[in-house]
Amino acid sequence: MEASAPPLMAPPPTEPDLTPLPPRPDLGRYMMGIGFMLHPTRFFDACWQRCGDYFTLLPESDRVLVVTADPAAVKQVFTGDPNLLYAGEGNITLAPILGPGSTLLLDGPEHLRHRRLLLPPFHGERMRNYGAMMAEVAERNLATWPRSGRLATLPTMQAITLEVIMRAVFGVTDAERRARISKPLRDLLDMLASRRRVLMMALTLGRTGPRSPWGRFIALRREADELLYEEIRARRADPHGDEGEDIFSLLLAARDTEGHPLSDSELRDELMTLLVAGHETTATALAWALERLTRTPAALRRLLDERRAGSDEYLDAVVKETLRLRPVVPAVVRRLQAPMRFGPWDLPAGVHIAPSIYLMHRRPDLYPEPLEFRPERFLDNPPSTYEWIPFGGGVRRCLGASFALFEMKVVLGTVLDRVSLRPAAGRSAESVTRRAITFAPSRGGRVAVGPLRAPAA
């Protein structure tokens, strides 16, 4: 998914002149300092309520961020000249984990080169061939659930999506080898998922001692890198290493317009991007879908009825409504390479413009009763291309969007075919918490499961 993450460092004591920019919300030192880290949706809601469709944030001394929920500005960003709206520079805070050669961090000709090389593996027919594998992985992991009881769904969804992306990317069916490759990646993401650890990393940034949280992050990343480079060397040494149907083989065989392949470091960064972006985001969205369905009995009943009738139309709407109401990535970011006007504001070069996915999806003029989970809105009056933006838009739209939507439908369908679902008793709807780069359910998407019942006559 197109993604952007907040920086680790706290705002500086001195601030640049913001007089020509949209207002900066005054929410108090605590909320402005770590509010987004600890209470992300409360933070966005408060900023929007106080400032309207444009507001300015200062995440770092040299990083001015103008957040917008103006539909016209959002469309302007996604349809504008990518040479004036740099997404790679906007995503620079992802560099420590993804690497400088990630498509998410590139701009200009290099971004287009990488994007063209990455597109073929996500072609529709090739993607649909993964369906049976996705269902088998989901079925096997769901078999570990109790026959009846309450559980957090996020860990199971993470296990499913990690195995799916590992098998799609590497073609690895051997469980032991898959576990060896995936463990350091899982450890790395788990470290970033803890708000306390992220804050400690910020305090120890640059220190690489054995007791430093930042040093621990660097060590985990090094371990993951060693395994990825080992895989790259083994594939290159195999005369048939680029003849498989997995994404890795296709990337090894890919050549740009001048006949050049991806280098080892470029391959590492793109593989890490696929593993991170194709795993954590989809798992989080699946957990949200199950949490929302159990809290909306009418939607769950309709979904079950239509699935029994052989239709997946409402399932598609459920997936899209989940990504509207609970987008797992809060915003996308572009760095202006020249002055540009958005709405009433003339923004100078160097400013970052950030269309807010979260706020756009809550506009009552676009989505009546925006806080209600109503999948039928995607059947009755579907939003336009630039009004539903969980995967970003334009030439930077997430390459794996179709893969993620397809996987969500396969996994949700498998869950519905295996267990009955109810809300976890005595619990209100789950709030949003930051986990790595995602907005995740605060209690892991808890539900109550039971054996399937025969439909009423």
Side-chain angles (χ1 to χ4, degrees):
M1 287 189 176
E2 184 176 357
S4 180
L8 298 175
M9 300 302 289
T14 58
E15 300 172 357
D17 178 19
L18 301 180
T19 51
L21 299 176
R24 188 182 184 208
D26 181 12
L27 302 176
R29 175 175 290 184
Y30 170 80
M31 198 58 145
M32 292 302 293
I34 59 174
F36 177 70
M37 182 77 68
L38 300 180
H39 311 290
T41 53
R42 278 173 49 192
F43 178 80
F44 270 120
D45 290 338
C47 291
W48 196 25
Q49 183 178 22
R50 297 205 179 192
C51 300
D53 285 343
Y54 295 87
F55 52 89
T56 301
L57 302 175
L58 292 174
E60 296 176 73
S61 59
D62 60 348
R63 185 176 169 93
V64 178
L65 192 70
V66 173
V67 180
T68 182
D70 178 2
V74 171
K75 182 176 181 179
Q76 184 181 349
V77 168
F78 290 149
T79 59
D81 184 349
N83 293 315
L84 300 180
L85 295 153
Y86 271 20
E89 291 187 9
N91 291 331
I92 195 64
T93 51
L94 297 171
I97 187 168
L98 301 184
S102 164
T103 303
L104 292 178
L105 295 165
L106 295 173
D107 289 298
E110 271 303 294
H111 168 258
L112 289 177
R113 172 178 174 259
H114 279 238
R115 190 173 178 91
R116 289 185 182 119
L117 292 173
L118 286 165
L119 272 173
F122 294 99
H123 185 270
E125 189 57 41
R126 189 182 300 276
M127 179 196 68
R128 283 188 287 274
N129 290 337
Y130 294 126
M133 179 268 287
M134 291 173 176
E136 182 271 320
V137 172
E139 185 74 30
R140 178 161 31 81
N141 279 274
L142 293 172
T144 66
W145 281 8
R147 180 173 172 80
S148 181
R150 301 170 193 164
L151 53 87
T153 61
L154 183 57
T156 302
M157 298 304 112
Q158 288 171 327
I160 292 170
T161 59
L162 182 56
E163 181 173 344
V164 165
I165 198 66
M166 288 291 296
R167 289 175 63 171
V169 170
F170 291 102
V172 178
T173 56
D174 177 74
E176 185 176 338
R177 181 172 167 232
R178 190 169 59 241
R180 178 172 171 267
I181 298 172
S182 62
K183 184 181 184 304
L185 175 68
R186 185 67 262 162
D187 290 344
L188 200 60
L189 289 173
D190 284 343
M191 186 174 188
L192 294 173
S194 165
R195 292 178 294 187
R196 183 184 66 81
R197 288 176 183 171
V198 168
L199 288 172
M200 292 304 295
M201 284 170 60
L203 296 174
T204 60
L205 191 67
R207 302 177 193 170
T208 56
R211 302 184 67 180
S212 161
W214 179 256
R216 175 62 177 155
F217 168 78
I218 295 299
L220 285 172
R221 186 183 65 185
R222 186 182 303 116
E223 184 181 353
D225 285 353
E226 288 172 356
L227 288 168
L228 286 176
Y229 280 119
E230 182 182 314
E231 287 290 317
I232 291 170
R233 287 192 297 270
R235 291 289 186 104
R236 290 207 192 277
D238 182 352
H240 303 290
D242 60 358
E243 296 177 5
E245 288 299 311
D246 55 85
I247 294 172
F248 194 178
S249 296
L250 295 171
L251 290 181
L252 281 171
R255 297 293 184 270
D256 62 23
T257 54
E258 296 182 0
H260 299 143
L262 290 170
S263 68
D264 284 4
S265 62
E266 289 173 328
L267 268 173
R268 176 268 173 208
D269 293 350
E270 295 299 9
L271 290 171
M272 182 66 82
T273 301
L274 291 169
L275 293 171
V276 173
H279 155 48
E280 190 73 15
T281 50
T282 307
T284 303
L286 283 164
W288 273 126
L290 293 167
E291 190 272 346
R292 288 292 80 206
L293 280 169
T294 59
R295 302 287 172 187
T296 318
L300 180 56
R301 283 195 300 271
R302 179 171 175 179
L303 177 57
L304 291 170
D305 289 344
E306 295 206 8
R307 186 159 179 83
R308 292 187 190 108
S311 171
D312 280 340
E313 187 179 40
Y314 195 70
L315 176 60
D316 182 74
V318 164
V319 167
K320 290 176 178 175
E321 176 69 345
T322 299
L323 293 171
R324 180 200 69 82
L325 187 57
R326 295 289 190 268
V328 297
V329 175
V332 298
V333 182
R334 305 286 189 267
R335 188 174 190 269
L336 303 189
Q337 303 304 297
M340 295 185 72
R341 185 175 182 84
F342 293 91
W345 300 100
D346 291 305
L347 304 185
V351 165
H352 294 77
I353 182 77
S356 172
I357 301 169
Y358 172 80
L359 295 178
M360 269 285 289
H361 287 180
R362 275 167 169 68
R363 292 188 65 97
D365 55 338
L366 300 181
Y367 299 99
E369 299 180 276
L371 302 185
E372 298 297 317
F373 184 74
R374 290 175 43 198
E376 56 271 15
R377 73 173 84 237
F378 283 87
L379 304 176
D380 301 335
N381 187 26
S384 72
T385 301
Y386 301 108
E387 294 170 351
W388 183 74
I389 53 171
F391 299 101
V395 297
R396 304 294 304 221
R397 189 173 189 266
C398 174
L399 283 165
S402 296
F403 187 96
L405 292 170
F406 182 62
E407 183 178 7
M408 285 187 70
K409 287 187 280 189
V410 170
V411 174
L412 285 176
T414 306
V415 172
L416 295 170
D417 292 344
R418 183 176 182 86
V419 300
S420 66
L421 297 169
R422 305 184 310 281
R427 291 285 191 173
S428 59
E430 294 188 37
S431 60
V432 175
T433 189
R434 275 201 64 241
R435 179 181 170 86
I437 62 171
T438 63
F439 275 16
S442 58
R443 296 190 294 275
R446 288 190 64 81
V447 302
V449 299
L452 284 175
R453 305 184 190 91

